[in-house]
Amino acid sequence: MFKHKIELLLLSSLLLSGCGGSDSPAEEVEPPVVPPPAPTPTEFEHKIEGTIAYLGAVAGADICVDLDMNKRCDETEPQSSSETDGSYQINWNSNTENPQYYLIANWTDTQTSTLATPAPLASQFKANALNLSSSNTDDDNTQHQRLNAVIGNGIGQLFSLQDHSGAINALTHIEFQRYEMMLEQALSSSEILLKKQELALILDSLYPHSGSNVYQVSAEQSEAIEFVDTQRLHSHLTALINDNLTAILGIDELFSSSKAGLIALSEESGLSLESYLNSDPIDVRFLVNNTLIAQGYIDTPFDEKIMSEVDWQVLQTNIMNDDLTPNKFTLAPVHLNSFFSLDYGNPDLTLLGFINDNQITASIADSSSVQETPLECWNGQLEKWINGNRNDQGYQPNALAFNNNTLTTHYDGTNVPIHFSIEKHHRDSEQWQAIISATPEELKLDQLVWPEYIYRYHIEQTQDVMCRVETDFLTWDMPIHNDPEQLTTADIARLFWPAFYPDEVVIDEENQRLSVELTLGNLSTFEWSLQTSPNDLSVIHILEVDVPQELDAIILPDDYLIEGDKIIEIEINPANSFDDMNDYLQLTYDAEEESFSQRIYAHIISLLPSR
């Protein structure tokens, strides 16, 4: 062993000498010093700077970094408060270099929105797009409010994901809520990223903003009228849909498609957007319903206020086919002595009555013995008289048209539209209870068990309609002057009351009035005027005046068309708007539901005084 070591040393010396090495002794080389590895830091510094904006800058908000992502601000989590301009900064240390977190802002709300929350939609949505569960507790409804930052009790709350450089506002809150839905539906990371990108594009098109990032909302921007109105509309739709729509971006896509229409409806109303939405307008529900159908989310109306095919069938059976089984109730306002009529299934019988001195008076009008007279009405399009029951005149009836809660038909034989606007009420709804409570106590309508749904309707006829007996209409000869403008009250008396003229007629030319004692001791007074017919000819219009108030609602005028030298008896059915009879209560219902028509008939009869 030692011998080999000596040989190696000698060999090394020879090699060094052969290489020109010096005879001086070799220097010893110090090995390089390698520093020890730096210690791994146990803490990392973190800082978040941002702005909280909701209807302006939110000052004094408590903001936390929700590190455990439990959607609560725990005492151990980093926290700070916002300044008067809504800015805030949070510094903290942790042993995680890139922590995951939510941002949560809580504050005492001093400007809670006055937006009235509409009743959520309740209907049969398509199962693949909507949540069909009807078991929503109050806690669930509070937890899942999809837009409003103000949760309640004057406490505001906003969420934000960590992707927006500390921005906290209504739009980050929307994104957070949609993100929660993504997690609930177990979307993959790539699917979540795609949905977030789609949402950003939708919000970018809906909300006014400056810059390239829609989520960077300044305090000034958040309180601008256009931004607030957009948020208000978004919130209204969110409240309507509630949690039924499980398509993650369904509400936002709905809003994107309907925003222009919603704004137009508000402008047409003449109200501010806030006041308009606070009234929970049915037209908004129609628009939402139609948009959801167009987008494939639903097949049938989602809201019980919206008429379905079954509802329209009830309506057509009861008020469109008087010759079959009419079932309807009409109540005039108090100033007309609460005149009422009840059709209870028999086309020949109608119960008519009124209330006077807190007492109901009623009788049955029987039209079975009245021979039906064929009528023809003036058709302005064809420019001739048409009997709608004949098919040999070139007239084609218009088909019924349904639009939202409005049915449009046409006056028989004419091209004049008639619109039926329907309010559908559930018997347990607050609206129906308010309607019933406003009816006269004498009728005791609140004691009836009404059908499940009641339909209140209003009628609009867009133009006057002129009709006459088809063949045997009465005619008179015009006075010798043959000029409608020269007609006098004396002419009217001579034409239509010849048996009383001149001795038994009191004539008031100045007021175009005349009085006749048609029955012994009873003087009847009539007032006449000259009007224009639907075919632009002159019409003599005569109306009895100074009648008892209880009869005022059923007194009809007499009309006479002047054609050349002839005067023809006609009927003028005047145009009317929905508002003209807005104080009338016109109802129909499913009469067969527990025999309701017979029950309401028996109910009213039982209230009549004993004879």
Side-chain angles (χ1 to χ4, degrees):
M1 180 183 296
F2 293 107
K3 179 180 179 180
H4 290 304
K5 286 185 178 179
I6 294 172
E7 288 176 348
L8 288 174
L9 289 173
L10 290 172
L11 179 60
S12 297
S13 300
L14 290 173
L15 289 174
L16 289 172
S17 299
C19 293
S22 170
D23 292 337
S24 59
E27 296 182 1
E28 294 185 5
V29 180
E30 292 287 338
V33 177
V34 179
T40 302
T42 57
E43 287 192 340
F44 295 90
E45 294 182 353
H46 305 287
K47 179 172 74 172
I48 298 175
E49 293 179 297
T51 300
I52 173 172
Y54 185 80
L55 302 178
V58 179
D62 295 323
I63 303 166
C64 78
V65 182
D66 182 17
L67 291 170
D68 59 8
M69 304 173 85
N70 65 353
K71 294 182 289 186
R72 293 194 303 268
C73 289
D74 300 319
E75 291 183 4
T76 58
E77 291 176 324
Q79 302 190 24
S80 181
S81 296
S82 59
E83 304 295 334
T84 56
D85 62 354
S87 64
Y88 71 91
Q89 177 177 318
I90 302 178
N91 298 297
W92 83 98
N93 295 331
S94 77
N95 56 9
T96 304
E97 185 173 4
N98 297 303
Q100 301 294 308
Y101 57 84
Y102 301 147
L103 291 174
I104 307 176
N106 296 286
W107 74 97
T108 301
D109 181 62
T110 58
Q111 45 184 349
T112 302
S113 170
T114 59
L115 178 65
T117 302
L121 308 182
S123 75
Q124 299 176 2
F125 290 89
K126 286 186 176 178
N128 64 342
L130 303 153
N131 181 2
L132 297 181
S133 173
S134 60
S135 59
N136 286 329
T137 65
D138 292 339
D139 290 340
D140 290 335
N141 289 333
T142 299
Q143 180 180 357
H144 292 292
Q145 290 197 29
R146 296 292 186 197
L147 181 61
N148 279 336
V150 177
I151 301 302
N153 300 321
I155 301 299
Q157 186 177 62
L158 286 172
F159 284 83
S160 178
L161 299 177
Q162 67 185 85
D163 309 333
H164 307 304
S165 303
I168 306 175
N169 51 64
L171 301 190
T172 66
H173 192 75
I174 295 173
E175 183 197 41
F176 181 83
Q177 299 291 358
R178 303 303 179 262
Y179 177 72
E180 279 193 296
M181 296 177 70
M182 298 175 203
L183 296 180
E184 290 168 4
Q185 297 184 21
L187 268 60
S188 67
S189 298
S190 59
E191 289 172 329
I192 289 175
L193 179 61
L194 181 61
K195 286 293 183 185
K196 288 168 68 176
Q197 290 172 345
E198 291 176 4
L199 176 61
L201 289 174
I202 294 173
L203 297 180
D204 183 77
S205 68
L206 289 171
Y207 285 83
H209 64 92
S210 57
S212 59
N213 190 335
V214 68
Y215 294 107
Q216 295 299 320
V217 178
S218 68
E220 294 76 13
Q221 179 184 331
S222 72
E223 62 183 347
I225 293 175
E226 186 179 356
F227 189 96
V228 173
D229 281 350
T230 301
Q231 185 181 348
R232 193 180 302 281
L233 286 168
H234 208 161
S235 180
H236 190 87
L237 295 188
T238 301
L240 273 178
I241 297 298
N242 200 26
D243 280 336
N244 293 318
L245 191 57
T246 59
I248 292 171
L249 304 184
I251 292 173
D252 313 299
E253 291 171 346
L254 167 67
F255 186 27
S256 180
S257 300
S258 60
K259 181 182 177 183
L262 293 168
I263 292 174
L265 289 175
S266 174
E267 291 174 347
E268 290 169 7
S269 73
L271 301 172
S272 68
L273 179 66
E274 182 176 6
S275 297
Y276 179 64
L277 294 181
N278 281 350
S279 68
D280 189 11
I282 188 68
D283 285 339
V284 168
R285 292 174 177 260
F286 292 148
L287 178 58
V288 171
N289 179 74
N290 296 339
T291 304
L292 287 172
I293 290 176
Q295 292 178 334
Y297 289 127
I298 59 175
D299 293 317
T300 57
F302 59 74
D303 189 352
E304 68 176 13
K305 292 184 179 180
I306 296 178
M307 297 287 283
S308 67
E309 291 184 12
V310 173
D311 299 320
W312 285 124
Q313 185 60 48
V314 171
L315 188 84
Q316 291 180 71
T317 299
N318 290 330
I319 70 174
M320 303 299 293
N321 296 310
D322 285 346
D323 293 336
L324 299 178
T325 54
N327 293 277
K328 52 191 175 183
F329 177 74
T330 299
L331 176 63
V334 173
H335 71 270
L336 295 177
N337 280 38
S338 300
F339 171 79
F340 63 86
S341 66
L342 175 68
D343 290 308
Y344 50 98
N346 188 325
D348 296 325
L349 303 178
T350 300
L351 181 65
L352 302 175
F354 58 90
I355 300 174
N356 191 25
D357 293 332
N358 301 320
Q359 186 170 331
I360 299 177
T361 300
S363 61
I364 296 176
D366 187 348
S367 60
S368 59
S369 60
V370 178
Q371 186 174 1
E372 186 174 348
T373 304
L375 295 177
E376 56 185 9
C377 300
W378 180 256
N379 187 301
Q381 193 172 36
L382 299 176
E383 294 188 341
K384 62 181 181 180
W385 298 91
I386 297 292
N387 180 340
N389 294 322
R390 290 172 47 193
N391 57 9
D392 60 347
Q393 306 160 95
Y395 167 71
Q396 293 295 326
N398 294 277
L400 296 176
F402 301 88
N403 180 33
N404 298 328
N405 275 26
T406 299
L407 179 151
T408 298
T409 183
H410 289 74
Y411 203 105
D412 201 19
T414 78
N415 60 330
V416 176
I418 299 177
H419 305 297
F420 288 80
S421 176
I422 314 299
E423 298 173 10
K424 180 183 174 185
H425 297 282
H426 191 278
R427 64 186 173 200
D428 296 329
S429 68
E430 293 182 4
Q431 295 93 334
W432 176 246
Q433 297 304 319
I435 290 171
I436 285 297
S437 64
T439 59
E441 292 183 8
E442 292 83 357
L443 290 173
K444 302 185 186 304
L445 296 180
D446 58 341
Q447 295 183 6
L448 282 165
V449 178
W450 289 80
E452 183 177 11
Y453 290 103
I454 306 98
Y455 311 93
R456 181 179 185 178
Y457 59 93
H458 304 272
I459 304 175
E460 178 184 67
Q461 180 180 309
T462 58
Q463 304 167 35
D464 290 349
V465 171
M466 175 174 63
C467 301
R468 69 183 184 185
V469 176
E470 185 175 27
T471 54
D472 299 325
F473 49 82
L474 298 176
T475 63
W476 293 261
D477 293 325
M478 274 288 284
I480 193 169
H481 54 69
N482 202 32
D483 183 356
E485 297 297 332
Q486 294 187 40
L487 285 171
T488 64
T489 304
D491 289 333
I492 300 300
R494 181 181 59 80
L495 283 166
F496 302 114
W497 288 275
F500 297 89
Y501 182 80
D503 297 333
E504 299 177 50
V505 180
V506 178
I507 293 176
D508 179 358
E509 285 288 1
E510 182 178 359
N511 296 303
Q512 296 190 166
R513 282 189 169 202
L514 60 92
S515 299
V516 183
E517 189 176 337
L518 298 177
T519 58
L520 185 63
N522 294 314
L523 197 66
S524 298
T525 301
F526 300 88
E527 189 173 272
W528 74 279
S529 61
L530 205 60
Q531 300 182 358
T532 302
S533 75
N535 63 350
D536 295 325
L537 298 178
S538 296
V539 170
I540 301 169
H541 180 80
I542 301 175
L543 179 66
E544 185 175 2
V545 295
D546 299 335
V547 296
Q549 189 178 40
E550 63 269 18
L551 300 178
D552 189 54
I554 59 175
I555 294 296
L556 299 176
D558 294 309
D559 294 291
Y560 305 89
L561 178 69
I562 301 175
E563 279 190 338
D565 61 351
K566 296 295 183 181
I567 300 174
I568 302 171
E569 184 178 31
I570 60 170
E571 294 179 4
I572 294 289
N573 297 288
N576 64 282
S577 71
F578 290 130
D579 293 334
D580 288 341
M581 296 182 66
N582 196 44
D583 51 356
Y584 280 71
L585 186 64
Q586 300 178 102
L587 306 174
T588 189
Y589 28 73
D590 183 351
E592 296 182 3
E593 187 175 321
E594 298 181 2
S595 303
F596 181 73
S597 270
Q598 296 303 316
R599 286 194 291 112
I600 188 174
Y601 169 78
H603 172 78
I604 293 176
I605 292 297
S606 70
L607 300 176
L608 298 178
S610 302
R611 296 181 179 178

